[in-house]
Amino acid sequence: MKKINQTEILKETILLMKMKQAEELVQLKDQYHYTIESLKPLNLIKNAFGLMATSPEIKGNILSNIVGMTTGYLTKKVLLGSTHNPIKRILGTVLQFVITNVVTKHSETSKL
């Protein structure tokens, strides 16, 4: 049998540690480049819109907000038309705001 030399074991361990260190350095560099790429403003915006487009809850919220805003706007136009009276315009805007909020909040109950 061959006698195991402590120096040989130490050299082998050092070699294995150097290989592990080189591999981890490559992984660290890859992670660095990935992080830099993902933190670019354009990529942040793309990811945010991508998440919004795939989330059914957000889609429903956007749809109910659009319906509410459209209903409020159309109600203002039907009731007041295009008036030049500043008091009527302010009241029309308040009416539009109230109707938009009511329709948006109650659109969840109408979906059931």
Side-chain angles (χ1 to χ4, degrees), residues 35-52:
T35 303
I36 292 297
E37 190 66 29
S38 67
L39 289 178
K40 289 183 179 177
L42 183 62
N43 289 336
L44 289 173
I45 293 169
K46 282 181 186 178
N47 290 338
F49 281 116
L51 289 174
M52 285 192 302

Side-chain angles (χ1 to χ4, degrees), residues 95-108:
L95 176 70
Q96 178 182 355
F97 179 73
V98 168
I99 290 175
T100 298
N101 283 333
V102 168
V103 171
T104 301
K105 288 179 183 174
H106 295 296
S107 67
E108 289 297 319

Side-chain angles (χ1 to χ4, degrees), residues 48-66:
F49 281 116
L51 289 174
M52 285 192 302
T54 58
S55 173
E57 183 177 303
I58 292 177
K59 283 182 184 178
N61 288 341
I62 290 173
L63 183 62
S64 67
N65 287 336
I66 290 172

